[in-house]
Amino acid sequence: MMDPEIRPPSATTLAAFTAAVVLGGGNFLAVRFSNRELAPLWGAGLRFGVAALVFVGIVVTMRLRWPRGRVLTLNIAYGLLSFAVFYALVYWALVRVTAGVASVVLAAVPLVTLLLATAHRMERITWRPVAGAVLALAGITWMTIGPQEVVLPLTALGALFLAIVCVGESVIISKKLSANHPAMTNAVAMIAGAGALLGMSAVAGDPWILPTEPEVVWSLVYLVTFGSVGLFVLILLVVRHWTASATSYLFVMFPLVTMLLGAWLADEPITSQGVTGAVLVMAGVWFGALSRPSGAGSEHPLAQSNR
C-alpha cells in the first residue's frame, strides 16, 4: 500500500544516489574495454559470478541468514530480471541498433517504473514525475542521436521495451527487499543472474577465456568491485530510503557520466549537442526526483517510503 507520509531524501541518500550514478556511468566505458576480448554474455556472466562470490564471502563472514520462502523467490526474480534477462535483451538488441538508439529507448525507464509502481500501489502518478521522465527522455534523445532520422526494427524495439520493463520491475522488487541486508540480497540475486547468463553463453557457444590484455583485466576488476559490488549495494541503499521511480533516474544519469569519462579517458569530444542533452536530463531529474512542489514545505513528491 502507498504510504501517505512524504519525506525529502536525506543527504546520505542523495550522496549514495550520486555515487551510484558515477559508478554506473563508469560501467559503460569499462564494458567497452571488456568486450574487446570477452564475448558479451560470457563477460557479463564472469563479472556477476565473481561479484556473487564476493557477496557470498561477506554473507558467510557476517553470518547472515539465507532467505527462504517468498523472500527467496523475490530475490531470485530480482536477480534474473536485473542481471540476466535485461543484459541478454540489451545485448541482442545492440546487434541490430546503435548504442545511442538503445540508450534513448532505455531512457524511458523512469516513466515505466512510475507506471509499474502505480500498478503495485506503491506510488501515485503526479505531473512532476511525468514531466521529469519526459524531459530526461528528450535529453537522452538529443544527446545521443540528435535530429537525425532513426530506423528502429520492431524486433529490436520489442526487445528493448521488455528490457525496460525488466529494469522497472526489478527496481520495484528491490524496494520490497530493501529491508534485508544488501549483501544477502545481492549474493542470491547475482548467483541466479550469473548462472542464467553463463547458461546462455554456453548455448551461444561463447569461448570461455580469461582476459589477458591489461585494459580488459582492469576493466573487469572495475566491473566486479565498483560496477557490481559497489553499485548494486548503493542502489539497494537508495531504494530503501527513496521511491522506486526516483531511484530509476539512475539509468538516465549514467550516459552523462559516461560522456565525461569518455572525454577524460578516451579523448572523446564533448559536443554542444551532448551538453544540451545533458542539461535536459538534469532538468528532468530535478523535476522528477529532486524538486519539491510549492507550498509543500519539506514534503517531497516522490520520496514516499513503502514501509
Side-chain angles (χ1 to χ4, degrees):
M1 291 292 292
M2 184 171 59
D3 194 331
E5 184 179 5
I6 300 174
R7 297 177 180 177
S10 67
T12 302
T13 301
L14 289 178
F17 181 90
T18 302
V21 168
V22 173
L23 295 183
N27 273 1
F28 286 91
L29 200 60
V31 168
R32 293 183 194 174
F33 287 104
S34 175
N35 287 345
R36 292 180 180 179
E37 192 174 6
L38 305 178
L41 289 174
W42 160 239
L46 177 62
R47 162 193 172 185
F48 290 123
V50 176
L53 293 178
V54 174
F55 279 120
V56 169
I58 295 173
V59 169
V60 172
T61 301
M62 297 183 66
R63 298 182 178 180
L64 301 175
R65 295 183 61 183
W66 292 93
R68 296 180 180 180
R70 180 175 179 273
V71 175
L72 177 60
T73 300
L74 286 174
N75 229 159
I76 293 174
Y78 169 61
L80 292 176
L81 287 174
S82 57
F83 302 127
V85 181
F86 169 75
Y87 276 85
L89 288 170
V90 170
Y91 279 130
W92 184 87
L94 285 174
V95 177
R96 292 156 178 81
V97 299
T98 65
V101 172
S103 66
V104 169
V105 179
L106 293 175
V109 167
L111 185 57
V112 172
T113 304
L114 176 62
L115 294 174
L116 289 171
T118 303
H120 282 272
R121 302 185 67 187
M122 295 172 64
E123 301 180 37
R124 69 178 187 276
I125 295 179
T126 61
W127 75 269
R128 283 178 177 269
V130 173
V134 172
L135 274 174
L137 177 58
I140 292 295
T141 302
W142 185 258
M143 185 172 69
T144 55
I145 63 177
Q148 66 189 31
E149 183 179 353
V150 177
V151 177
L152 186 61
L154 289 178
T155 52
L157 178 62
L160 290 172
F161 178 76
L162 288 176
I164 292 172
V165 174
C166 286
V167 171
E169 191 62 30
S170 70
V171 175
I172 299 295
I173 295 174
S174 70
K175 179 68 176 177
K176 297 178 180 180
L177 295 169
S178 60
N180 301 328
H181 197 287
M184 175 62 71
T185 299
N186 279 313
V188 176
M190 287 189 184
I191 289 173
L197 284 168
L198 292 175
M200 288 184 282
S201 174
V203 171
D206 292 341
W208 285 20
I209 60 173
L210 295 177
T212 57
E213 299 178 13
E215 296 85 354
V216 179
V217 172
W218 283 112
S219 68
L220 184 61
V221 170
Y222 176 88
L223 288 169
V224 170
T225 55
F226 297 102
S228 295
V229 176
L231 174 63
F232 289 99
V233 165
L234 288 170
I235 289 176
L236 289 176
L237 291 177
V238 171
V239 80
R240 175 184 294 178
H241 300 289
W242 218 357
T243 57
S245 61
T247 303
S248 70
Y249 276 89
L250 286 165
F251 294 93
V252 295
M253 292 291 287
F254 289 161
L256 274 65
V257 176
T258 304
M259 179 179 68
L260 295 175
L261 289 177
W264 177 34
L265 299 175
D267 294 324
E268 297 175 354
I270 295 180
T271 64
S272 58
Q273 177 178 313
V275 172
T276 303
V279 170
L280 287 172
V281 170
M282 289 186 288
V285 175
W286 172 258
F287 273 105
L290 299 176
S291 65
R292 304 175 185 180
S294 59
S298 63
E299 291 187 343
H300 189 281
L302 282 175
Q304 299 169 5
S305 299
N306 184 36
R307 295 181 298 177

PDB file of all heavy atoms in Angstrom, residues 165-203:
ATOM      1  N   VAL A 165      10.954  -2.913 -19.065  1.00  0.00           N
ATOM      2  CA  VAL A 165      10.017  -3.493 -18.092  1.00  0.00           C
ATOM      3  C   VAL A 165      10.776  -4.302 -17.043  1.00  0.00           C
ATOM      4  O   VAL A 165      10.467  -4.247 -15.847  1.00  0.00           O
ATOM      5  CB  VAL A 165       8.965  -4.356 -18.804  1.00  0.00           C
ATOM      6  CG1 VAL A 165       8.077  -5.071 -17.794  1.00  0.00           C
ATOM      7  CG2 VAL A 165       8.111  -3.493 -19.737  1.00  0.00           C
ATOM      8  N   CYS A 166      11.799  -5.054 -17.494  1.00  0.00           N
ATOM      9  CA  CYS A 166      12.598  -5.849 -16.560  1.00  0.00           C
ATOM     10  C   CYS A 166      13.292  -4.950 -15.543  1.00  0.00           C
ATOM     11  O   CYS A 166      13.305  -5.242 -14.339  1.00  0.00           O
ATOM     12  CB  CYS A 166      13.646  -6.664 -17.323  1.00  0.00           C
ATOM     13  SG  CYS A 166      12.979  -8.080 -18.211  1.00  0.00           S
ATOM     14  N   VAL A 167      13.888  -3.848 -16.023  1.00  0.00           N
ATOM     15  CA  VAL A 167      14.560  -2.927 -15.111  1.00  0.00           C
ATOM     16  C   VAL A 167      13.554  -2.323 -14.130  1.00  0.00           C
ATOM     17  O   VAL A 167      13.787  -2.284 -12.910  1.00  0.00           O
ATOM     18  CB  VAL A 167      15.272  -1.804 -15.885  1.00  0.00           C
ATOM     19  CG1 VAL A 167      15.772  -0.730 -14.936  1.00  0.00           C
ATOM     20  CG2 VAL A 167      16.439  -2.368 -16.669  1.00  0.00           C
ATOM     21  N   GLY A 168      12.438  -1.828 -14.652  1.00  0.00           N
ATOM     22  CA  GLY A 168      11.435  -1.209 -13.794  1.00  0.00           C
ATOM     23  C   GLY A 168      10.919  -2.166 -12.738  1.00  0.00           C
ATOM     24  O   GLY A 168      10.808  -1.813 -11.552  1.00  0.00           O
ATOM     25  N   GLU A 169      10.604  -3.393 -13.149  1.00  0.00           N
ATOM     26  CA  GLU A 169      10.078  -4.377 -12.207  1.00  0.00           C
ATOM     27  C   GLU A 169      11.151  -4.802 -11.207  1.00  0.00           C
ATOM     28  O   GLU A 169      10.848  -5.051 -10.029  1.00  0.00           O
ATOM     29  CB  GLU A 169       9.553  -5.601 -12.958  1.00  0.00           C
ATOM     30  CG  GLU A 169       8.743  -6.561 -12.110  1.00  0.00           C
ATOM     31  CD  GLU A 169       7.469  -5.943 -11.525  1.00  0.00           C
ATOM     32  OE1 GLU A 169       6.901  -5.026 -12.168  1.00  0.00           O
ATOM     33  OE2 GLU A 169       7.055  -6.370 -10.427  1.00  0.00           O
ATOM     34  N   SER A 170      12.410  -4.871 -11.650  1.00  0.00           N
ATOM     35  CA  SER A 170      13.475  -5.237 -10.722  1.00  0.00           C
ATOM     36  C   SER A 170      13.667  -4.162  -9.656  1.00  0.00           C
ATOM     37  O   SER A 170      13.967  -4.475  -8.492  1.00  0.00           O
ATOM     38  CB  SER A 170      14.793  -5.475 -11.480  1.00  0.00           C
ATOM     39  OG  SER A 170      15.329  -4.269 -11.984  1.00  0.00           O
ATOM     40  N   VAL A 171      13.487  -2.884 -10.033  1.00  0.00           N
ATOM     41  CA  VAL A 171      13.577  -1.808  -9.041  1.00  0.00           C
ATOM     42  C   VAL A 171      12.422  -1.927  -8.040  1.00  0.00           C
ATOM     43  O   VAL A 171      12.602  -1.724  -6.834  1.00  0.00           O
ATOM     44  CB  VAL A 171      13.568  -0.427  -9.722  1.00  0.00           C
ATOM     45  CG1 VAL A 171      13.543   0.682  -8.675  1.00  0.00           C
ATOM     46  CG2 VAL A 171      14.788  -0.262 -10.619  1.00  0.00           C
ATOM     47  N   ILE A 172      11.234  -2.273  -8.543  1.00  0.00           N
ATOM     48  CA  ILE A 172      10.078  -2.477  -7.657  1.00  0.00           C
ATOM     49  C   ILE A 172      10.358  -3.604  -6.666  1.00  0.00           C
ATOM     50  O   ILE A 172      10.106  -3.491  -5.458  1.00  0.00           O
ATOM     51  CB  ILE A 172       8.819  -2.815  -8.479  1.00  0.00           C
ATOM     52  CG1 ILE A 172       8.460  -1.684  -9.439  1.00  0.00           C
ATOM     53  CG2 ILE A 172       7.649  -3.145  -7.549  1.00  0.00           C
ATOM     54  CD1 ILE A 172       8.056  -0.406  -8.794  1.00  0.00           C
ATOM     55  N   ILE A 173      10.907  -4.720  -7.177  1.00  0.00           N
ATOM     56  CA  ILE A 173      11.208  -5.856  -6.308  1.00  0.00           C
ATOM     57  C   ILE A 173      12.283  -5.487  -5.292  1.00  0.00           C
ATOM     58  O   ILE A 173      12.204  -5.870  -4.126  1.00  0.00           O
ATOM     59  CB  ILE A 173      11.642  -7.074  -7.145  1.00  0.00           C
ATOM     60  CG1 ILE A 173      10.485  -7.564  -8.018  1.00  0.00           C
ATOM     61  CG2 ILE A 173      12.121  -8.208  -6.246  1.00  0.00           C
ATOM     62  CD1 ILE A 173      10.861  -8.675  -8.976  1.00  0.00           C
ATOM     63  N   SER A 174      13.301  -4.734  -5.751  1.00  0.00           N
ATOM     64  CA  SER A 174      14.363  -4.342  -4.821  1.00  0.00           C
ATOM     65  C   SER A 174      13.819  -3.472  -3.695  1.00  0.00           C
ATOM     66  O   SER A 174      14.325  -3.499  -2.570  1.00  0.00           O
ATOM     67  CB  SER A 174      15.483  -3.616  -5.571  1.00  0.00           C
ATOM     68  OG  SER A 174      15.063  -2.335  -6.027  1.00  0.00           O
ATOM     69  N   LYS A 175      12.770  -2.682  -4.006  1.00  0.00           N
ATOM     70  CA  LYS A 175      12.123  -1.890  -2.962  1.00  0.00           C
ATOM     71  C   LYS A 175      11.500  -2.808  -1.912  1.00  0.00           C
ATOM     72  O   LYS A 175      11.591  -2.540  -0.696  1.00  0.00           O
ATOM     73  CB  LYS A 175      11.052  -0.993  -3.589  1.00  0.00           C
ATOM     74  CG  LYS A 175      10.289  -0.125  -2.603  1.00  0.00           C
ATOM     75  CD  LYS A 175      11.177   0.948  -1.999  1.00  0.00           C
ATOM     76  CE  LYS A 175      10.391   1.873  -1.099  1.00  0.00           C
ATOM     77  NZ  LYS A 175      11.263   2.883  -0.445  1.00  0.00           N
ATOM     78  N   LYS A 176      10.893  -3.900  -2.360  1.00  0.00           N
ATOM     79  CA  LYS A 176      10.276  -4.849  -1.433  1.00  0.00           C
ATOM     80  C   LYS A 176      11.326  -5.597  -0.612  1.00  0.00           C
ATOM     81  O   LYS A 176      11.027  -6.081   0.480  1.00  0.00           O
ATOM     82  CB  LYS A 176       9.414  -5.842  -2.203  1.00  0.00           C
ATOM     83  CG  LYS A 176       8.232  -5.195  -2.928  1.00  0.00           C
ATOM     84  CD  LYS A 176       7.430  -6.222  -3.713  1.00  0.00           C
ATOM     85  CE  LYS A 176       6.246  -5.565  -4.426  1.00  0.00           C
ATOM     86  NZ  LYS A 176       5.440  -6.542  -5.213  1.00  0.00           N
ATOM     87  N   LEU A 177      12.551  -5.701  -1.148  1.00  0.00           N
ATOM     88  CA  LEU A 177      13.626  -6.409  -0.455  1.00  0.00           C
ATOM     89  C   LEU A 177      14.558  -5.469   0.299  1.00  0.00           C
ATOM     90  O   LEU A 177      15.531  -5.924   0.900  1.00  0.00           O
ATOM     91  CB  LEU A 177      14.460  -7.210  -1.470  1.00  0.00           C
ATOM     92  CG  LEU A 177      13.756  -8.351  -2.204  1.00  0.00           C
ATOM     93  CD1 LEU A 177      14.630  -8.864  -3.343  1.00  0.00           C
ATOM     94  CD2 LEU A 177      13.417  -9.485  -1.235  1.00  0.00           C
ATOM     95  N   SER A 178      14.270  -4.170   0.257  1.00  0.00           N
ATOM     96  CA  SER A 178      15.223  -3.187   0.754  1.00  0.00           C
ATOM     97  C   SER A 178      15.467  -3.270   2.259  1.00  0.00           C
ATOM     98  O   SER A 178      16.474  -2.758   2.751  1.00  0.00           O
ATOM     99  CB  SER A 178      14.753  -1.773   0.390  1.00  0.00           C
ATOM    100  OG  SER A 178      13.488  -1.486   0.968  1.00  0.00           O
ATOM    101  N   ALA A 179      14.561  -3.900   3.003  1.00  0.00           N
ATOM    102  CA  ALA A 179      14.772  -4.040   4.441  1.00  0.00           C
ATOM    103  C   ALA A 179      15.820  -5.095   4.763  1.00  0.00           C
ATOM    104  O   ALA A 179      16.361  -5.127   5.876  1.00  0.00           O
ATOM    105  CB  ALA A 179      13.457  -4.391   5.140  1.00  0.00           C
ATOM    106  N   ASN A 180      16.139  -5.963   3.798  1.00  0.00           N
ATOM    107  CA  ASN A 180      17.116  -7.019   4.019  1.00  0.00           C
ATOM    108  C   ASN A 180      18.534  -6.471   3.843  1.00  0.00           C
ATOM    109  O   ASN A 180      18.740  -5.416   3.246  1.00  0.00           O
ATOM    110  CB  ASN A 180      16.885  -8.172   3.044  1.00  0.00           C
ATOM    111  CG  ASN A 180      15.499  -8.767   3.193  1.00  0.00           C
ATOM    112  OD1 ASN A 180      14.946  -8.793   4.292  1.00  0.00           O
ATOM    113  ND2 ASN A 180      14.930  -9.229   2.098  1.00  0.00           N
ATOM    114  N   HIS A 181      19.506  -7.212   4.318  1.00  0.00           N
ATOM    115  CA  HIS A 181      20.900  -6.780   4.175  1.00  0.00           C
ATOM    116  C   HIS A 181      21.278  -6.795   2.693  1.00  0.00           C
ATOM    117  O   HIS A 181      21.051  -7.792   1.996  1.00  0.00           O
ATOM    118  CB  HIS A 181      21.825  -7.710   4.965  1.00  0.00           C
ATOM    119  CG  HIS A 181      23.190  -7.137   5.201  1.00  0.00           C
ATOM    120  ND1 HIS A 181      24.131  -7.030   4.203  1.00  0.00           N
ATOM    121  CD2 HIS A 181      23.757  -6.606   6.324  1.00  0.00           C
ATOM    122  CE1 HIS A 181      25.231  -6.483   4.691  1.00  0.00           C
ATOM    123  NE2 HIS A 181      25.027  -6.210   5.977  1.00  0.00           N
ATOM    124  N   PRO A 182      21.866  -5.712   2.171  1.00  0.00           N
ATOM    125  CA  PRO A 182      22.176  -5.652   0.737  1.00  0.00           C
ATOM    126  C   PRO A 182      23.151  -6.725   0.272  1.00  0.00           C
ATOM    127  O   PRO A 182      23.084  -7.169  -0.882  1.00  0.00           O
ATOM    128  CB  PRO A 182      22.766  -4.248   0.551  1.00  0.00           C
ATOM    129  CG  PRO A 182      23.168  -3.792   1.917  1.00  0.00           C
ATOM    130  CD  PRO A 182      22.209  -4.451   2.854  1.00  0.00           C
ATOM    131  N   ALA A 183      24.050  -7.162   1.156  1.00  0.00           N
ATOM    132  CA  ALA A 183      24.983  -8.226   0.771  1.00  0.00           C
ATOM    133  C   ALA A 183      24.238  -9.529   0.513  1.00  0.00           C
ATOM    134  O   ALA A 183      24.527 -10.250  -0.448  1.00  0.00           O
ATOM    135  CB  ALA A 183      26.042  -8.421   1.859  1.00  0.00           C
ATOM    136  N   MET A 184      23.267  -9.826   1.365  1.00  0.00           N
ATOM    137  CA  MET A 184      22.480 -11.048   1.181  1.00  0.00           C
ATOM    138  C   MET A 184      21.641 -10.964  -0.090  1.00  0.00           C
ATOM    139  O   MET A 184      21.589 -11.910  -0.879  1.00  0.00           O
ATOM    140  CB  MET A 184      21.571 -11.268   2.398  1.00  0.00           C
ATOM    141  CG  MET A 184      20.623 -12.452   2.258  1.00  0.00           C
ATOM    142  SD  MET A 184      21.533 -13.999   2.072  1.00  0.00           S
ATOM    143  CE  MET A 184      22.188 -14.165   3.730  1.00  0.00           C
ATOM    144  N   THR A 185      20.961  -9.833  -0.279  1.00  0.00           N
ATOM    145  CA  THR A 185      20.127  -9.665  -1.462  1.00  0.00           C
ATOM    146  C   THR A 185      20.947  -9.833  -2.736  1.00  0.00           C
ATOM    147  O   THR A 185      20.551 -10.540  -3.669  1.00  0.00           O
ATOM    148  CB  THR A 185      19.457  -8.275  -1.450  1.00  0.00           C
ATOM    149  OG1 THR A 185      18.632  -8.166  -0.295  1.00  0.00           O
ATOM    150  CG2 THR A 185      18.609  -8.064  -2.699  1.00  0.00           C
ATOM    151  N   ASN A 186      22.106  -9.186  -2.793  1.00  0.00           N
ATOM    152  CA  ASN A 186      22.939  -9.267  -3.986  1.00  0.00           C
ATOM    153  C   ASN A 186      23.584 -10.633  -4.163  1.00  0.00           C
ATOM    154  O   ASN A 186      23.807 -11.080  -5.294  1.00  0.00           O
ATOM    155  CB  ASN A 186      24.015  -8.177  -3.943  1.00  0.00           C
ATOM    156  CG  ASN A 186      23.489  -6.827  -4.381  1.00  0.00           C
ATOM    157  OD1 ASN A 186      22.819  -6.713  -5.393  1.00  0.00           O
ATOM    158  ND2 ASN A 186      23.780  -5.792  -3.609  1.00  0.00           N
ATOM    159  N   ALA A 187      23.921 -11.295  -3.066  1.00  0.00           N
ATOM    160  CA  ALA A 187      24.515 -12.628  -3.176  1.00  0.00           C
ATOM    161  C   ALA A 187      23.566 -13.579  -3.892  1.00  0.00           C
ATOM    162  O   ALA A 187      23.936 -14.256  -4.863  1.00  0.00           O
ATOM    163  CB  ALA A 187      24.867 -13.163  -1.784  1.00  0.00           C
ATOM    164  N   VAL A 188      22.321 -13.626  -3.423  1.00  0.00           N
ATOM    165  CA  VAL A 188      21.332 -14.520  -4.030  1.00  0.00           C
ATOM    166  C   VAL A 188      21.017 -14.083  -5.460  1.00  0.00           C
ATOM    167  O   VAL A 188      20.965 -14.903  -6.382  1.00  0.00           O
ATOM    168  CB  VAL A 188      20.048 -14.554  -3.182  1.00  0.00           C
ATOM    169  CG1 VAL A 188      18.972 -15.401  -3.868  1.00  0.00           C
ATOM    170  CG2 VAL A 188      20.338 -15.096  -1.792  1.00  0.00           C
ATOM    171  N   ALA A 189      20.814 -12.773  -5.652  1.00  0.00           N
ATOM    172  CA  ALA A 189      20.428 -12.262  -6.966  1.00  0.00           C
ATOM    173  C   ALA A 189      21.515 -12.507  -8.001  1.00  0.00           C
ATOM    174  O   ALA A 189      21.238 -12.907  -9.140  1.00  0.00           O
ATOM    175  CB  ALA A 189      20.118 -10.771  -6.876  1.00  0.00           C
ATOM    176  N   MET A 190      22.778 -12.270  -7.631  1.00  0.00           N
ATOM    177  CA  MET A 190      23.849 -12.428  -8.608  1.00  0.00           C
ATOM    178  C   MET A 190      24.179 -13.888  -8.885  1.00  0.00           C
ATOM    179  O   MET A 190      24.619 -14.224  -9.987  1.00  0.00           O
ATOM    180  CB  MET A 190      25.096 -11.668  -8.142  1.00  0.00           C
ATOM    181  CG  MET A 190      24.930 -10.165  -8.271  1.00  0.00           C
ATOM    182  SD  MET A 190      26.468  -9.264  -7.969  1.00  0.00           S
ATOM    183  CE  MET A 190      25.846  -7.570  -8.102  1.00  0.00           C
ATOM    184  N   ILE A 191      23.959 -14.753  -7.923  1.00  0.00           N
ATOM    185  CA  ILE A 191      24.110 -16.189  -8.195  1.00  0.00           C
ATOM    186  C   ILE A 191      23.098 -16.605  -9.267  1.00  0.00           C
ATOM    187  O   ILE A 191      23.436 -17.301 -10.235  1.00  0.00           O
ATOM    188  CB  ILE A 191      23.918 -17.019  -6.914  1.00  0.00           C
ATOM    189  CG1 ILE A 191      25.108 -16.828  -5.976  1.00  0.00           C
ATOM    190  CG2 ILE A 191      23.745 -18.499  -7.254  1.00  0.00           C
ATOM    191  CD1 ILE A 191      24.922 -17.467  -4.607  1.00  0.00           C
ATOM    192  N   ALA A 192      21.850 -16.169  -9.097  1.00  0.00           N
ATOM    193  CA  ALA A 192      20.809 -16.510 -10.075  1.00  0.00           C
ATOM    194  C   ALA A 192      21.094 -15.869 -11.422  1.00  0.00           C
ATOM    195  O   ALA A 192      21.009 -16.528 -12.478  1.00  0.00           O
ATOM    196  CB  ALA A 192      19.441 -16.051  -9.556  1.00  0.00           C
ATOM    197  N   GLY A 193      21.458 -14.581 -11.421  1.00  0.00           N
ATOM    198  CA  GLY A 193      21.712 -13.884 -12.673  1.00  0.00           C
ATOM    199  C   GLY A 193      22.923 -14.408 -13.401  1.00  0.00           C
ATOM    200  O   GLY A 193      22.889 -14.625 -14.621  1.00  0.00           O
ATOM    201  N   ALA A 194      24.020 -14.606 -12.672  1.00  0.00           N
ATOM    202  CA  ALA A 194      25.239 -15.114 -13.299  1.00  0.00           C
ATOM    203  C   ALA A 194      25.031 -16.519 -13.854  1.00  0.00           C
ATOM    204  O   ALA A 194      25.508 -16.846 -14.947  1.00  0.00           O
ATOM    205  CB  ALA A 194      26.386 -15.112 -12.291  1.00  0.00           C
ATOM    206  N   GLY A 195      24.312 -17.358 -13.098  1.00  0.00           N
ATOM    207  CA  GLY A 195      24.040 -18.711 -13.589  1.00  0.00           C
ATOM    208  C   GLY A 195      23.276 -18.704 -14.897  1.00  0.00           C
ATOM    209  O   GLY A 195      23.599 -19.460 -15.828  1.00  0.00           O
ATOM    210  N   ALA A 196      22.268 -17.845 -14.993  1.00  0.00           N
ATOM    211  CA  ALA A 196      21.480 -17.749 -16.224  1.00  0.00           C
ATOM    212  C   ALA A 196      22.326 -17.205 -17.380  1.00  0.00           C
ATOM    213  O   ALA A 196      22.247 -17.704 -18.510  1.00  0.00           O
ATOM    214  CB  ALA A 196      20.267 -16.863 -15.992  1.00  0.00           C
ATOM    215  N   LEU A 197      23.141 -16.183 -17.111  1.00  0.00           N
ATOM    216  CA  LEU A 197      23.988 -15.614 -18.159  1.00  0.00           C
ATOM    217  C   LEU A 197      25.007 -16.624 -18.667  1.00  0.00           C
ATOM    218  O   LEU A 197      25.237 -16.738 -19.881  1.00  0.00           O
ATOM    219  CB  LEU A 197      24.713 -14.375 -17.629  1.00  0.00           C
ATOM    220  CG  LEU A 197      23.887 -13.097 -17.508  1.00  0.00           C
ATOM    221  CD1 LEU A 197      24.655 -12.050 -16.690  1.00  0.00           C
ATOM    222  CD2 LEU A 197      23.538 -12.541 -18.883  1.00  0.00           C
ATOM    223  N   LEU A 198      25.625 -17.367 -17.760  1.00  0.00           N
ATOM    224  CA  LEU A 198      26.605 -18.366 -18.172  1.00  0.00           C
ATOM    225  C   LEU A 198      25.932 -19.490 -18.955  1.00  0.00           C
ATOM    226  O   LEU A 198      26.519 -20.036 -19.900  1.00  0.00           O
ATOM    227  CB  LEU A 198      27.332 -18.927 -16.940  1.00  0.00           C
ATOM    228  CG  LEU A 198      28.250 -17.927 -16.212  1.00  0.00           C
ATOM    229  CD1 LEU A 198      28.819 -18.557 -14.943  1.00  0.00           C
ATOM    230  CD2 LEU A 198      29.373 -17.468 -17.130  1.00  0.00           C
ATOM    231  N   GLY A 199      24.706 -19.831 -18.577  1.00  0.00           N
ATOM    232  CA  GLY A 199      23.974 -20.834 -19.351  1.00  0.00           C
ATOM    233  C   GLY A 199      23.698 -20.365 -20.762  1.00  0.00           C
ATOM    234  O   GLY A 199      23.880 -21.117 -21.731  1.00  0.00           O
ATOM    235  N   MET A 200      23.260 -19.096 -20.906  1.00  0.00           N
ATOM    236  CA  MET A 200      23.016 -18.538 -22.237  1.00  0.00           C
ATOM    237  C   MET A 200      24.311 -18.417 -23.027  1.00  0.00           C
ATOM    238  O   MET A 200      24.348 -18.639 -24.247  1.00  0.00           O
ATOM    239  CB  MET A 200      22.334 -17.174 -22.109  1.00  0.00           C
ATOM    240  CG  MET A 200      20.887 -17.243 -21.663  1.00  0.00           C
ATOM    241  SD  MET A 200      20.062 -15.615 -21.638  1.00  0.00           S
ATOM    242  CE  MET A 200      20.726 -14.929 -20.118  1.00  0.00           C
ATOM    243  N   SER A 201      25.404 -18.094 -22.344  1.00  0.00           N
ATOM    244  CA  SER A 201      26.700 -18.003 -23.010  1.00  0.00           C
ATOM    245  C   SER A 201      27.130 -19.359 -23.545  1.00  0.00           C
ATOM    246  O   SER A 201      27.668 -19.461 -24.659  1.00  0.00           O
ATOM    247  CB  SER A 201      27.742 -17.468 -22.027  1.00  0.00           C
ATOM    248  OG  SER A 201      29.034 -17.484 -22.596  1.00  0.00           O
ATOM    249  N   ALA A 202      26.896 -20.417 -22.755  1.00  0.00           N
ATOM    250  CA  ALA A 202      27.252 -21.763 -23.199  1.00  0.00           C
ATOM    251  C   ALA A 202      26.433 -22.172 -24.409  1.00  0.00           C
ATOM    252  O   ALA A 202      26.953 -22.752 -25.370  1.00  0.00           O
ATOM    253  CB  ALA A 202      27.048 -22.753 -22.050  1.00  0.00           C
ATOM    254  N   VAL A 203      25.134 -21.870 -24.397  1.00  0.00           N
ATOM    255  CA  VAL A 203      24.264 -22.191 -25.534  1.00  0.00           C
ATOM    256  C   VAL A 203      24.707 -21.426 -26.783  1.00  0.00           C
ATOM    257  O   VAL A 203      24.695 -21.953 -27.897  1.00  0.00           O
ATOM    258  CB  VAL A 203      22.797 -21.861 -25.199  1.00  0.00           C
ATOM    259  CG1 VAL A 203      21.909 -21.982 -26.439  1.00  0.00           C
ATOM    260  CG2 VAL A 203      22.286 -22.777 -24.093  1.00  0.00           C
TER     261      VAL A 203
END
